[in-house]
Structures are given as C-alpha cells and as structure tokens.
Amino acid sequence: MTNKVSNSDSNTKTWRDLLFILVVGIGLGILGGLVDKQTGTLVGTAVLLSLFGAYNNVLDNNRRLMSGLVAGGVAGAVVGAIAFLLGGIPESILQAALFGMGRGILLGAVVGFITRARPDEGDSVRIALFLVFGSIVVGAILGAGVGLVTGLTMALVSNGWWGAVLALGLGIVVGSYLGSYLQTRQAIISGGVIFGLLALVGTLFQGIMAGLVIGILGGALTPMLVVAAIGFFGGLTSRGLRAGAEEAIEAPAEMIQQGAVSFLAPAILVGIIVGAAAAGEGAMIALAVTLALIGMLLGVIIEIEQQQVNRLTIGRLIEMIMLGSDRWPIVEMVAKLSGVNRRTAVTGAILGLVLGVLGAAIGLLIGWQLMQMFDMLV
C-alpha cells in the first residue's frame, strides 16, 4: 500500500513538473512574441528550462526551485517593462553615463527601500523614518556608481574595433579576478578566457547580448575599481607609487577570495539591468529569463545550504541577492549535476529543453496573434 501511494505521489510530481515547464515556456513565448524577439526567446527559454529540468531531477524538494524561477521571471518582466517605458537609448558617452546613472539611482533607491534597516521595538517614528530615508539614499548612491560605470563601459566598447579590443581586455581582467575565487591557476585562466570571449562576442553582435554581457562586466568592475583605488591610496601614502600599484592589482583578488558575494552580487544585478535596458524592448524578455535564472539558482543554493525557506518571493529574492552570505557554493552546485547524478540531470535537461522550446513556440504564436489583434484595434 505504501509503495502504491509513493508511486502515485511521484507520478503526480512528474506531471506537475512537466506542466510547469510547458507553462513557463508558453509564458516566455507570449512575452517574446509581444516584443517581437523570437530567436532570443527560444534560446533563453532553452537555456533556462534545460537547467531547470536538470536540477529538478536531482533535487529532493523542487518548491524553492520553482518559486525562485517564477519570482525572478516576474520581477525581470516588470523591471524590463519599466526600462522600456523609460526609453532613451544612449547614443554618446555622456548620454550613456547619464542613462546608466539615472537607472542606477532608481534601482538603488527601490532596493534600498526593500532591504531597509528595521527600527528596534520602541523606537520613535522619527527614527523609523530616518532609517527608511537613509536606506533609500545609500541604495541610490551605490546604484548610481554601478550605473555610471556600466553606462561608460557600454559606450566605450561600442566604438568600432578598438571598442571590441577593450571589451576583450576587460572581460579577461574581470573573468580572471572572478576565477581567483577558487584559488587555482586553471580557474583564473578559464575565467579570463570565458569572460573575454563573451565580451568580444557581445560587442560584435551588439543588441541584447552586448547589453547583458557588458552589464555583467560593468557591474563586477565597479566594486573591483573601488577596492583597487583604496589599495592604491593606502600603498601610495605608506610606501610609494610602486607599492600603490601592487596593492591596486592585488586588492580585487583579495576581496573576492575573502568572500565578496555581498559586494559583487548587487553590483552585477544592477549592471545587468542597466545593460539590458539599453537594448530597448528586448529588455523585457532578456531580464525575465536572466532574473528567472538567478532566482532558480538561488533556490538551488537554499536547498544545498538547507536554509529554512519554503519558497522564494520577489522580496526575499532581492534580499538574498543584496544581503546574501559571503560564500558562493559553486562547487556544490556543479556537483549536484555531475557524478552519480549525471544521467538523471541529463534526462531532466533534455525534457526541459524539449518542453520549454515547444511551449515557447506555442507562446510566440499566441503573442504574435495578440499583437495582430492589437494593431487591428489601433
């Protein structure tokens, strides 16, 4: 009797998971059809749902995985829609700087409000208002810095062949520093090569790909520049110019190796949003897929670390990114899909890929029909 009940629950879970993948694919397809981004929608959906299928097959509890994907996807679609409505795609370095800084201020203020400091019990209304206002101001200032660096980076790498060379160089530098987190030569070289090639490809193809890649680079570059500047000033004032240069070069790697998630994750998220916003209407589908991917991976992290969180909401998702731990469980996340779990993960990935692309194709047709109806009404 127990086996029958167990088999019934397993079958119900399987069908529920397959239906979830199909529905998510349809939803992303409709959004992609509305903004007329068919190729990007199919590719993004394939990556997102194949990875979801892989993790879904190897995790015992998929509630956090599902809720993280949904929360991230909804947040990304909303932020992308706002970015599109704000408009103003930059065409010069000054415009790019103002574009990035303005959106960084807005994002930072919203995040500051969501993650605001809470008053202690018995504190007056004045203190509570001060904490709220202070959190918003601090968030806006930090967001402005990330947005400014991201905007300038976008402008500089979009200027011909030398912009592509600059993007390649920035990608190698940022990727190498990020690879130093694992403190192995192979990881440093791999990080530099992967990010360098991504940056180069992004600048060559432009569009949403460039926005996302340069957004990641600009976001990661901001805290690295800050600690490098601090290290340079400290070395310069104590031991001279050469010591300042050495401190500036070593400071970002030390920051990452000592645990820099709380610095890098918020900056990279703001960079991604600012970079994607420069791609116009494509920002909606790009941010929906990207933030859904981030939310899903946060669900994996919660499962690995066995945190007492049943499901992820948009607020919880933002708090985890902005106020998360100082550790990335990258090795454990990769291990979940390898070793004895490899075959199970591959099966899940194939199912997610097939159903996701099928759902996205159906959704694209629906979105296209909706646009046709809208054009007729207008």
Tab-separated table of all heavy atoms in Angstrom, residues 6 20 100 106 120 127 294 307 317 319 325:
chain	number	residue	atom	x	y	z
A	6	SER	N	3.385	5.964	-2.712
A	6	SER	CA	4.640	6.616	-3.083
A	6	SER	C	4.745	6.780	-4.591
A	6	SER	O	5.134	7.836	-5.092
A	6	SER	CB	5.823	5.797	-2.557
A	6	SER	OG	7.038	6.377	-2.969
A	20	PHE	N	4.545	22.456	-15.463
A	20	PHE	CA	5.173	23.723	-15.058
A	20	PHE	C	6.143	24.194	-16.139
A	20	PHE	O	6.145	25.377	-16.511
A	20	PHE	CB	5.900	23.529	-13.729
A	20	PHE	CG	6.679	24.735	-13.271
A	20	PHE	CD1	6.041	25.781	-12.631
A	20	PHE	CD2	8.051	24.817	-13.495
A	20	PHE	CE1	6.754	26.900	-12.211
A	20	PHE	CE2	8.771	25.928	-13.071
A	20	PHE	CZ	8.124	26.971	-12.433
A	100	GLY	N	22.988	55.311	-17.559
A	100	GLY	CA	23.317	54.323	-16.543
A	100	GLY	C	23.140	54.857	-15.140
A	100	GLY	O	22.596	54.178	-14.271
A	106	LEU	N	17.591	54.912	-9.633
A	106	LEU	CA	16.233	54.399	-9.454
A	106	LEU	C	16.243	52.991	-8.865
A	106	LEU	O	15.531	52.698	-7.890
A	106	LEU	CB	15.497	54.417	-10.797
A	106	LEU	CG	14.057	53.903	-10.801
A	106	LEU	CD1	13.189	54.751	-9.875
A	106	LEU	CD2	13.486	53.918	-12.218
A	120	ASP	N	14.292	49.186	15.933
A	120	ASP	CA	14.086	48.313	17.085
A	120	ASP	C	12.734	48.610	17.722
A	120	ASP	O	12.163	49.696	17.547
A	120	ASP	CB	15.200	48.518	18.122
A	120	ASP	CG	16.549	48.065	17.600
A	120	ASP	OD1	16.569	47.134	16.777
A	120	ASP	OD2	17.569	48.669	17.996
A	127	ILE	N	12.866	58.002	14.164
A	127	ILE	CA	13.985	57.081	13.899
A	127	ILE	C	13.637	56.134	12.762
A	127	ILE	O	14.462	55.852	11.888
A	127	ILE	CB	14.337	56.300	15.180
A	127	ILE	CG1	14.921	57.248	16.233
A	127	ILE	CG2	15.332	55.173	14.864
A	127	ILE	CD1	15.220	56.586	17.555
A	294	ILE	N	18.549	33.536	-12.273
A	294	ILE	CA	19.155	33.879	-10.987
A	294	ILE	C	18.292	33.381	-9.833
A	294	ILE	O	18.790	32.806	-8.863
A	294	ILE	CB	19.358	35.404	-10.887
A	294	ILE	CG1	20.433	35.862	-11.888
A	294	ILE	CG2	19.761	35.806	-9.468
A	294	ILE	CD1	20.578	37.364	-11.986
A	307	GLN	N	18.649	25.894	4.043
A	307	GLN	CA	18.065	27.018	4.763
A	307	GLN	C	16.579	26.772	4.987
A	307	GLN	O	15.912	26.100	4.205
A	307	GLN	CB	18.258	28.319	3.967
A	307	GLN	CG	19.712	28.699	3.750
A	307	GLN	CD	19.847	29.989	2.971
A	307	GLN	OE1	18.944	30.817	2.939
A	307	GLN	NE2	20.989	30.171	2.320
A	317	LEU	N	13.860	37.275	-2.745
A	317	LEU	CA	14.862	37.137	-3.792
A	317	LEU	C	15.820	38.329	-3.775
A	317	LEU	O	17.046	38.164	-3.815
A	317	LEU	CB	14.169	37.038	-5.152
A	317	LEU	CG	15.027	36.771	-6.384
A	317	LEU	CD1	15.606	35.383	-6.327
A	317	LEU	CD2	14.211	36.957	-7.646
A	319	GLU	N	16.372	40.407	-1.281
A	319	GLU	CA	17.127	40.405	-0.033
A	319	GLU	C	18.282	39.412	-0.081
A	319	GLU	O	19.375	39.691	0.419
A	319	GLU	CB	16.206	40.072	1.137
A	319	GLU	CG	15.239	41.197	1.495
A	319	GLU	CD	14.341	40.833	2.650
A	319	GLU	OE1	14.374	39.661	3.086
A	319	GLU	OE2	13.603	41.711	3.126
A	325	SER	N	24.974	35.756	1.784
A	325	SER	CA	26.169	35.329	2.509
A	325	SER	C	27.422	35.713	1.729
A	325	SER	O	27.356	36.198	0.599
A	325	SER	CB	26.132	33.812	2.720
A	325	SER	OG	26.193	33.155	1.469
